[in-house]
């Protein structure tokens, strides 16, 4: 029995231990982007609004938790902000990540119990910090690295830095598959009702406009008229979700699905008004930030150890946290300099950036291909010329 | 840097396993991330749901079922279209305190059909659905009919 278990555990073990380029750099940069993204999200929420809350409906396992003290509640967000700024700087990273997990979990609970907000918040507030607090995402680009006896070598490919991203991929594969599976089996739902998506296209955007002011796309009623269009959506979404676990076994599928994901979410945001923002930290763990920043003029390698001292980091984090609810400045800075009406406008900025990034990669690939082709041609041509 | 690889691997298995098994087996469907829509949330536990469906027929087209996802937000009159206002008034007359969303639903149906219909039939159905923990459902429904033939006419 134990032998069989060991043999079976060899396969996921081998998968999780596959070396990956720039493992330490990728995860450390993911830590910074995660902190900034969480602060961006927080800058558009305000727990002080719970003074007007009409309900306190807790998820089942937490059913006995008392309603939060309204004097204490306004301090939850500044505390989370303090921790996230410390995480951004990479100070006492493991402990701070653990605290982000604890305070983040409470923040998620309050938002869900009081406002019934997005269930996916658990990805951002619970899953990512829980996975990361046992990892080494503070090893680089951090204040911790400044005080460490040794930091990872450049381009280190060791899996121990990257396993939280791989674990997240397993969870994502399960979530996508189960979302597709429920669509498949739910009676009277996705497949059985031919007008399901057409109806949903007409109802959900309106719901989003009313509940959170997401802009209404005039195309939805146009699309909803054409059954063949909604049928493509109906089967396309189902196929995408059900086949998502293929990313775990095929590198090519992983590349393809990761490139399709932004369009999947952007379409959800533009057509249904569902931006799926709290799931973004899952992709933040998976994205190759080192590769991305290397393509920009930012010389990120100069910051492998942050120049801040621990007391400077604590001071800055404290100032930001204290100013969070007392001045508009931190929310303005982390909320995108007033560029967004709400965090739900995220995709209006992100999709063009992603398209430019894809275009750049395509251009690089084409340039490399033609250069290599030209060089190879020249090498081949040389003996003939002789 | 040196790592105890076996320890790291066991840790990775443990955390991933706890999250994965927890997501599947613990009774936390309420915070199960993909349960975004109320539509699917009844699966996994025995429940009784009551919800409202609006069946709209425009002209001779087959009926369209419009599912009502939530009804707690009030809405306003935003259109000056006479035919639509009739429908909106009609719905507003129903003894239902959650009248916001249906107005918008009808608005969208009409807009998607280009306001070309001669007759619009609207049926409001209240469906009570009992579901066992395996997701098997039995339901009963009661419907009220409304029909708008022309401006001001109602059957």
């Amino acid at each position: 029995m134990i032998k069989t278990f060991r043999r079976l555990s060899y396969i996921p073990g081998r998968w999780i231990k596959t070396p990956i380029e720039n493992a330490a750099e990728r995860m450390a940069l993911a830590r910074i982007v995660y902190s900034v993204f969480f602060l961006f999200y927080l800058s558009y929420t305000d727990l002080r609004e719970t003074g007007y809350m009409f309900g306190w409906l807790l998820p089942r396992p937490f059913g006995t938790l008392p309603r939060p003290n309204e004097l204490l509640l306004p301090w939850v967000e500044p505390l989370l902000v303090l921790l996230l700024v410390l995480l951004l700087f990479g100070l006492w990273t493991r402990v701070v990540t653990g605290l982000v997990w604890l305070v983040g979990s409470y923040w998620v609970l309050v938002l869900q119990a009081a406002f019934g907000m997005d269930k996916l918040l658990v990805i951002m507030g619970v899953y990512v910090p829980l996975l990361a607090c046992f990892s080494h995402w503070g090893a680089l680009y951090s204040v911790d690295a400044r005080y460490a006896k040794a930091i990872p070598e450049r381009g280190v490919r060791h899996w121990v830095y990257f396993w939280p991203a791989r674990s997240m991929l397993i969870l994502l594969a399960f979530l996508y598959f189960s979302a597709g599976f429920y669509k498949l089996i739910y009676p009277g739902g996705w497949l059985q009702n031919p007008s399901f998506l057409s109806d949903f296209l007409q109802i959900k955007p309106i719901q989003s406009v009313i509940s959170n002011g997401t802009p209404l796309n005039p195309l939805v009623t146009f699309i909803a008229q054409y059954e063949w269009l909604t049928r493509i959506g109906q089967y396309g979404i189902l196929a995408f979700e059900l086949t998502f676990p293929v990313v775990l076994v095929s590198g090519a599928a992983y590349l393809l699905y990761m490139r399709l994901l932004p369009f999947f979410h952007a379409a959800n945001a533009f057509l249904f008004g569902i931006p799926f923002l709290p799931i973004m930290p899952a992709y933040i763990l998976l994205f190759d930030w080192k590769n991305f920043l290397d393509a920009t003029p930012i010389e990120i390698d100069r910051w492998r150890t942050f120049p801040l001292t621990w007391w400077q980091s604590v001071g800055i984090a404290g100032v930001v946290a204290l100013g969070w609810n007392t001045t508009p400045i931190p929310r303005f800075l982390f909320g995108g300099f007033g560029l967004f009406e709400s965090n739900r406008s995220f995709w209006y900025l992100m999709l063009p950036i992603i398209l430019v990034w894809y275009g750049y990669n395509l251009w690089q690939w084409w340039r490399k291909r033609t250069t290599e082709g030209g060089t190879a041609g020249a090498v081949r041509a040389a003996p003939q010329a002789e | 840097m040196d790592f105890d690889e076996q320890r790291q691997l066991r840790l990775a298995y443990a955390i991933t396993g706890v999250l994965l098994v927890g997501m599947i087996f613990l009774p936390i469907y309420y915070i199960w991330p993909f349960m975004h829509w109320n539509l699917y949330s009844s699966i996994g536990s025995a429940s009784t749901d009551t919800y409202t469906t609006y069946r709209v027929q425009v002209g001779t087209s087959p009926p369209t079922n419009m599912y009502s996802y939530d009804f707690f937000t009030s809405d306003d009159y935003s259109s000056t279209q006479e035919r639509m206002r009739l429908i909106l008034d009609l719905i507003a007359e129903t003894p239902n305190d959650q009248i916001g969303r249906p107005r918008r639903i009808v608005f969208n149906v009409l807009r998607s059909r280009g306001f070309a219909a001669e007759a619009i039939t609207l049926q409001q159905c209240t469906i009570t659905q009992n579901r066992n923990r395996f997701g098997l459902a039995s339901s009963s429904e009661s419907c009220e009919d409304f029909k708008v033939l022309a401006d001001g006419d109602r059957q």
Side-chain angles (χ1 to χ4, degrees):
Chain A
M1 180 76 179
I2 293 169
K3 271 186 183 173
T4 314
F5 180 74
R6 276 191 182 154
R7 270 180 203 157
L8 282 174
S9 69
Y10 173 73
I11 299 166
R14 203 175 60 169
W15 180 79
I16 225 165
K17 286 164 77 174
T18 311
I20 187 157
E21 203 73 38
N22 296 317
E25 282 91 345
R26 281 178 69 160
M27 281 306 289
L29 290 169
R31 183 199 82 236
I32 294 171
V33 181
Y34 167 76
S35 311
V36 172
F37 183 83
F38 206 151
L39 286 163
F40 164 75
Y41 195 93
L42 275 176
S43 63
Y44 291 97
T45 65
D46 194 343
L47 281 189
R48 288 173 297 175
E49 291 170 1
T50 50
Y52 307 103
M53 64 189 172
F54 47 85
W56 183 248
L57 184 64
L58 278 165
R60 272 187 185 173
F62 310 100
T64 52
L65 225 78
R67 203 184 179 95
N69 184 320
E70 284 179 20
L71 287 173
L72 196 69
L73 205 57
W75 291 98
V76 174
E77 267 171 358
L79 180 60
L80 199 49
V81 168
L82 176 88
L83 295 168
L84 287 168
V85 177
L86 290 178
L87 191 63
L88 172 65
F89 292 145
L91 178 68
W92 307 317
T93 310
R94 195 180 301 280
V95 175
V96 166
T97 310
L99 290 171
V100 167
W101 172 55
L102 283 175
V103 181
S105 302
Y106 188 67
W107 173 78
V108 171
L109 263 183
V110 171
L111 284 178
Q112 290 192 351
F115 300 122
M117 272 181 75
D118 203 334
K119 313 293 183 288
L120 283 167
L121 280 171
V122 290
I123 297 275
M124 184 162 70
V126 185
Y127 290 9
V128 169
L130 178 62
L131 283 168
C133 81
F134 297 101
S135 76
H136 303 274
W137 72 346
L140 279 176
Y141 310 115
S142 62
V143 180
D144 282 351
R146 176 186 169 145
Y147 292 109
K149 286 177 188 163
I151 61 168
E153 297 158 17
R154 281 176 201 275
V156 65
R157 293 162 52 88
H158 207 300
W159 65 273
V160 289
Y161 295 103
F162 200 66
W163 72 260
R166 294 206 165 113
S167 297
M168 184 49 80
L169 190 62
I170 294 172
L171 297 176
L172 272 179
F174 172 74
L175 287 174
Y176 272 100
F177 179 78
S178 53
F181 185 69
Y182 272 87
K183 285 185 181 72
L184 200 65
I185 64 165
Y186 190 81
W190 196 265
L191 276 187
Q192 293 85 348
N193 178 3
S195 65
F196 184 94
L197 198 61
S198 169
D199 296 346
F200 196 54
L201 264 170
Q202 295 178 77
I203 296 165
K204 188 66 188 73
I206 301 291
Q207 186 187 352
S208 300
V209 172
I210 293 168
S211 59
N212 49 48
T214 310
L216 178 65
N217 188 340
L219 278 177
V220 288
T221 44
F222 172 79
I223 296 170
Q225 287 180 73
Y226 297 100
E227 194 186 327
W228 64 272
L229 268 177
T230 54
R231 278 298 170 106
I232 289 173
Q234 220 159 341
Y235 290 107
I237 292 167
L238 197 63
F240 181 80
E241 290 180 336
L242 286 174
T243 57
F244 193 89
V246 183
V247 299
L248 298 175
V249 290
S250 161
Y254 175 82
L255 289 175
L256 176 70
Y257 276 72
M258 286 298 134
R259 274 151 190 74
L260 287 176
L261 271 171
F263 298 108
F264 179 77
H265 285 304
N268 268 304
F270 295 143
L271 295 179
F272 299 108
I274 312 170
F276 283 111
L277 283 189
I279 204 174
M280 292 301 132
Y283 307 133
I284 287 171
L285 288 187
L286 292 162
F287 188 72
D288 189 348
W289 297 102
K290 180 72 169 63
N291 183 28
F292 178 74
L293 288 172
D294 282 347
T296 67
I298 301 168
E299 292 177 33
I300 193 66
D301 278 345
R302 289 174 57 191
W303 303 87
R304 288 172 74 84
T305 55
F306 266 15
L308 294 173
T309 60
W310 70 266
W311 57 269
Q312 283 169 333
S313 311
V314 172
I316 295 170
V319 168
V320 175
L322 284 173
W324 194 257
N325 282 342
T326 52
T327 72
I329 299 167
R331 283 178 192 269
F332 176 78
L333 290 177
F334 286 106
F337 305 99
L339 203 63
F340 300 102
E341 192 184 346
S342 84
N343 56 14
R344 291 182 166 260
S345 312
F346 175 79
W347 281 105
Y348 287 86
L349 178 71
M350 277 317 289
L351 191 63
I353 291 175
I354 287 165
L355 288 174
V356 169
W357 174 239
Y358 283 1
Y360 172 79
N361 275 321
L362 209 63
W363 177 68
Q364 287 283 41
W365 171 80
W366 183 79
R367 207 176 64 158
K368 194 177 167 191
R369 193 164 173 266
T370 49
T371 312
E372 278 176 0
T375 313
V379 170
R380 275 197 304 274
Q384 286 172 8
E386 280 175 6
Chain B
M1 294 176 85
D2 296 324
F3 299 102
D4 182 345
E5 286 202 27
Q6 276 308 312
R7 192 167 159 266
Q8 288 284 330
L9 192 60
R10 277 199 295 269
L11 200 61
Y13 280 158
I15 307 279
T16 315
V18 163
L19 285 175
L20 200 58
V21 171
M23 280 161 67
I24 300 169
F25 295 109
L26 291 181
I28 55 169
Y29 73 90
Y30 191 73
I31 57 167
W32 206 354
F34 76 86
M35 292 295 186
H36 192 72
W37 300 332
N38 300 334
L39 186 65
Y40 302 113
S41 64
S42 57
I43 290 178
S45 65
S47 64
T48 301
D49 292 324
T50 303
Y51 58 94
T52 315
T53 302
Y54 290 86
R55 288 183 185 150
V56 184
Q57 186 170 341
V58 183
T60 54
S61 62
T64 306
N65 284 346
M66 312 301 290
Y67 292 88
S68 45
Y69 286 90
D70 74 11
F71 289 97
F72 57 79
T73 315
S74 63
D75 203 353
D76 60 349
Y77 282 109
S78 57
S79 171
T80 54
Q81 295 285 340
E82 189 57 32
R83 189 177 298 279
M84 190 182 71
R85 185 173 288 278
L86 275 171
I87 306 262
L88 299 186
D89 287 341
L90 194 62
I91 295 169
E93 284 174 20
T94 60
N96 183 353
D97 58 351
Q98 297 164 324
I99 57 172
R101 190 53 43 77
R103 296 174 186 172
R104 281 294 195 178
I105 293 169
V106 175
F107 168 73
N108 267 283
V109 171
L110 291 175
R111 210 161 79 157
S112 69
R113 300 294 189 271
F115 294 102
E118 289 301 316
I120 297 150
T121 312
L122 179 71
Q123 211 176 36
Q124 180 181 326
C125 302
T126 303
I127 298 172
T128 305
Q129 196 164 58
N130 295 303
R131 199 170 277 284
N132 69 15
R133 62 187 290 267
F134 303 106
L136 298 171
S138 61
S139 62
S140 60
E141 68 176 44
S142 62
C143 297
E144 276 183 61
D145 287 340
F146 297 97
K147 192 165 188 181
V148 176
L149 293 171
D151 291 357
D153 293 339
R154 176 182 167 185
Q155 281 184 354

